[in-house]
Amino acid sequence: MCRPIVLGIVLATSGCLMSGNYHSAKTLGKGESQLGLTFSTTRYENQTTDSSGAASTESIVLPNVIPEITYHIGMAEDLEVGGRASLGSLALEADVKYRFLRGEKLHLAIAPAVSYQAFVVLQGVGVRLPAILTYELADNVDFTGAVFGWTTHYSTTDTDSNSDFASFRGTWLRAGGALGFDLHGDTFSLRPSVEITRNLADLSSDSGSSSDEFTTVNVLVHLAWTGGKEKKQLDRIERKLDGLQPAPQPYYPQQPAPYPQPAPYPQPAPQPPSQ
């Protein structure tokens, strides 16, 4: 079995490698926050050729036993920041998502991210750049596609060239794409997707270096809960109610009533003329 497959297994002993793209190109509104869980499984495939020229395929499927935890918050219009913690693969990632196109139904965004992953004496620092497209199919159904590039440099804290992990030092390059859907309501989203990634591992040790290629297929489901929209709805209702209230009338102080005039003194009735 080739070293990249072994490396994948090593990093996956308590789960799996970090899941693929779980983003939508849409961004959270300012002040809104979103907490999510990502469940996934990954299939690793590698084709090898023996000395006689016969090709064979090695594959293994590893589920992510512990779901990833994601959290993001809207910082401004078309901008959100956050990250994820992959407890199963002992990895952390921070990202910034910027939506640079907002059409009537089409949304485009980028979400650059940096990550750190560790296992015993093996550690990796990575940079990922996905470009994301989201198209609104209906009021509560979106189609999402993404392409990405990802590079991670692995090193060991053990300087012993005879260490079992020494042969895993090097750079891991990845490129791929993902397709999925976003089923969402006001406060909850369900995002199933499939991602295919081509991996190139350039690993080296004191005994030499080698480059190996293999493919991974990642199937994931992302669940997300959005908060902060309730307060915005209450604020909008309050503003509408304020607009329905009549404008205050100006106050005019009342003038004091004049003193009553005395009734006129009654005049005596005229006497008839005498005969």
Side-chain angles (χ1 to χ4, degrees), residues 47-222:
Q47 289 187 346
T48 59
T49 304
D50 58 20
S51 57
S52 62
S56 61
T57 300
E58 299 174 335
S59 63
I60 186 172
V61 178
L62 296 174
N64 192 345
V65 180
I66 304 176
E68 294 180 355
I69 302 173
T70 68
Y71 181 79
H72 292 81
I73 185 170
M75 301 299 294
E77 186 177 4
D78 301 325
L79 180 67
E80 71 177 55
V81 300
R84 57 176 165 171
S86 181
L87 303 180
S89 57
L90 304 177
L92 295 173
E93 183 181 73
D95 63 72
V96 177
K97 182 165 64 175
Y98 173 68
R99 178 172 53 185
F100 59 86
L101 176 62
R102 181 178 184 178
E104 182 178 353
K105 293 186 176 182
L106 179 65
H107 305 260
L108 298 177
I110 57 173
V114 294
S115 61
Y116 177 78
Q117 189 172 15
F119 179 81
V120 191
V121 298
L122 184 66
Q123 60 183 357
V125 177
V127 178
R128 184 169 63 95
L129 180 60
I132 312 164
L133 175 150
T134 295
Y135 187 82
E136 300 178 11
L137 300 176
D139 291 340
N140 57 351
V141 180
D142 300 339
F143 168 79
T144 297
V147 293
F148 64 89
W150 195 344
T151 179
T152 305
H153 180 73
Y154 287 100
S155 61
T156 60
T157 57
D158 187 1
T159 58
D160 184 6
S161 59
N162 296 321
S163 170
D164 294 336
F165 292 95
S167 60
F168 296 134
R169 299 169 185 159
T171 302
W172 193 334
L173 301 176
R174 282 170 274 184
L179 297 175
F181 293 92
D182 186 356
L183 313 176
H184 57 84
D186 290 337
T187 59
F188 178 74
S189 296
L190 173 65
R191 298 175 188 157
S193 64
V194 177
E195 180 178 283
I196 300 178
T197 306
R198 189 61 179 169
N199 301 262
L200 171 63
D202 184 11
L203 306 177
S204 62
S205 64
D206 291 345
S207 60
S209 61
S210 65
S211 295
D212 297 287
E213 298 183 10
F214 64 101
T215 301
T216 57
V217 179
N218 187 272
V219 179
L220 66 89
V221 176
H222 182 69

